[in-house]
């Protein structure tokens, strides 16, 4: 059976990468889609694993050749999803996890109406802002920009199918895995299995 | 938040009671709706726990007073769901599990459009029939009737939201619990939690 395309977004500071790491540990048959980005590589990141790191010219070429499922600009950098490897993996029956921001997620929804869209939230909007402020590694102007951005992102949650609450890493990972499991039990996916009987 | 009404059906012989017992052990906040029935009490069953056992006159009175959410006849006996205790439990935020057959489930869907309908299947239709034949506690004519009934029930699975496959008790219980968990993550249920922020 064709795999599921699972899109997860969430405001900066919500703890998304920790939750997704736990999900990957606990759920088989799931693989990350590796995004392309123009943002600088950070210490500890590996090109081709965390992201495919490109310069602006390389990224523009992917756009012009229509090789991106979606792309978006975030705080001065571009992020996008190369479509060919993703389509191949889905056809092979693998479930693909796409960790992208809101604009990208809404583009995916248009091109893959069956994609499952999840929005990861902290237990409250205040907690999201508090976590961003506590990071302390950011210039005040950029901090303000990020908080504004987080507020806007949370206002877009109503476009998503599911809202996952990051109460704890365990509960949030369990919710994500439950959604994937449940989606695979939907009658439209399962009924064909019994038609051949 | 108002509880979820979860309806589970499945053909006789599919192992439903074993799966539901496991679900009840592993998922809190879930309680069985106790059905009323006119069928004779079986050894080990407790009135008011397994069923509310009624005679035909008593059952008819519930119908006439419109006190049943649904009712149906199955192999000569009536089964039905008293509506008042169910509505009260949902309002208190409890999730209610309704173990009823297909006709009843479709009546519930009409009255509670938000009900979650799951159909429990064996890994194949052949396995359902084999299990019924292997019971060996039934007269041939009644056996034939049950197999016909099971075939018809399976043909109605397309009216359900989810099909749960009883591969093992563990996988089936996990699927049921995942569906309930996922349904509670749906955006329409969760978004109001963030509107007050």
């Amino acid at each position: 059976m064709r795999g599921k395309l699972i899109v997860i977004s969430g405001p900066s500071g919500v703890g998304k990468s920790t939750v997704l790491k736990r999900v990957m540990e606990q759920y088989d048959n799931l693989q990350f889609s590796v995004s392309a980005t123009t943002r600088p590589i950070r210490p500890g990141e590996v090109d081709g694993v965390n992201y495919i790191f490109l310069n602006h010219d390389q990224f523009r070429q992917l756009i012009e050749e229509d090789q991106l499922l979606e792309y978006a600009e975030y705080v001065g950098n571009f992020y996008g999803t190369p479509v060919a490897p993703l389509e191949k993996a889905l056809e092979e029956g693998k479930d693909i996890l796409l960790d992208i921001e809101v604009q990208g997620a809404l583009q995916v929804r248009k091109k893959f109406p069956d994609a499952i869209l999840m929005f990861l939230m902290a237990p409250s909007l205040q907690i999201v802002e508090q976590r961003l402020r506590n990071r302390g590694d950011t210039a005040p102007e950029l901090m303000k920009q990020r908080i504004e951005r987080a507020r806007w992102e949370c206002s877009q949650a109503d476009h998503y199918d599911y809202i996952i609450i990051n109460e704890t890493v365990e509960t949030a990972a369990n919710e994500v895995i439950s959604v994937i499991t449940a989606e695979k039990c939907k009658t439209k996916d399962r009924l064909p299995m019994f038609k051949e009987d």
Side-chain angles (χ1 to χ4, degrees), chain A:
Chain A
M1 194 191 297
R2 188 176 158 90
K4 295 281 178 201
L5 180 57
I6 298 137
V7 176
I8 303 199
S9 308
S12 191
V14 80
K16 191 169 49 168
S17 48
T18 311
V19 170
L20 295 185
K21 186 165 171 285
R22 185 66 58 94
V23 169
M24 298 300 284
E25 286 164 5
Q26 295 185 347
Y27 188 88
D28 293 336
N29 193 45
L30 190 61
Q31 67 182 46
F32 262 115
S33 165
V34 181
S35 299
T37 185
T38 60
R39 86 148 161 74
I41 191 163
R42 288 178 194 160
E45 288 186 332
V46 178
D47 187 18
V49 175
N50 302 92
Y51 287 96
I52 301 158
F53 293 95
L54 303 175
N55 63 36
H56 278 79
D57 283 347
Q58 291 170 318
F59 200 96
R60 207 167 292 128
Q61 190 175 347
L62 284 184
I63 297 172
E64 280 165 14
E65 291 172 0
D66 200 21
Q67 287 184 35
L68 296 175
L69 172 59
E70 54 75 38
Y71 65 98
E73 183 270 342
Y74 173 59
V75 196
N77 284 303
F78 283 93
Y79 296 78
T81 304
V83 73
L86 185 142
E87 182 59 50
K88 181 168 173 287
L90 289 175
E91 273 309 310
E92 286 168 357
K94 296 201 182 88
D95 300 320
I96 305 296
L97 196 56
L98 253 179
D99 170 7
I100 52 177
E101 49 62 71
V102 172
Q103 294 171 26
L106 302 184
Q107 289 178 55
V108 172
R109 158 77 12 117
K110 280 182 195 161
K111 291 189 187 171
F112 285 81
D114 287 346
I116 303 157
L117 269 60
M118 298 190 223
F119 193 87
L120 184 66
M121 265 302 286
S124 77
L125 294 175
Q126 284 89 336
I127 291 172
V128 173
E129 292 196 21
Q130 201 52 53
R131 286 190 191 159
L132 281 174
R133 284 184 210 284
N134 288 350
R135 277 191 171 179
D137 64 342
T138 311
E141 188 51 39
L142 190 53
M143 171 78 76
K144 201 181 146 195
Q145 215 177 331
R146 284 203 179 148
I147 288 176
E148 283 304 311
R149 176 76 185 194
R151 279 193 195 140
W152 176 80
E153 283 171 337
C154 293
S155 78
Q156 300 300 302
D158 59 333
H159 296 298
Y160 287 70
D161 301 309
Y162 298 93
I163 295 177
I164 306 300
I165 298 179
N166 193 8
E167 189 74 47
T168 69
V169 177
E170 283 71 26
T171 59
N174 179 54
E175 288 186 358
V176 171
I177 291 168
S178 293
V179 166
I180 301 170
T181 303
E183 286 279 339
K184 287 171 169 283
C185 295
K186 281 193 167 172
T187 298
K188 70 171 167 46
D189 280 7
R190 283 234 157 133
L191 207 54
M193 297 170 62
F194 295 96
K195 291 296 185 193
E196 306 302 306
D197 267 355

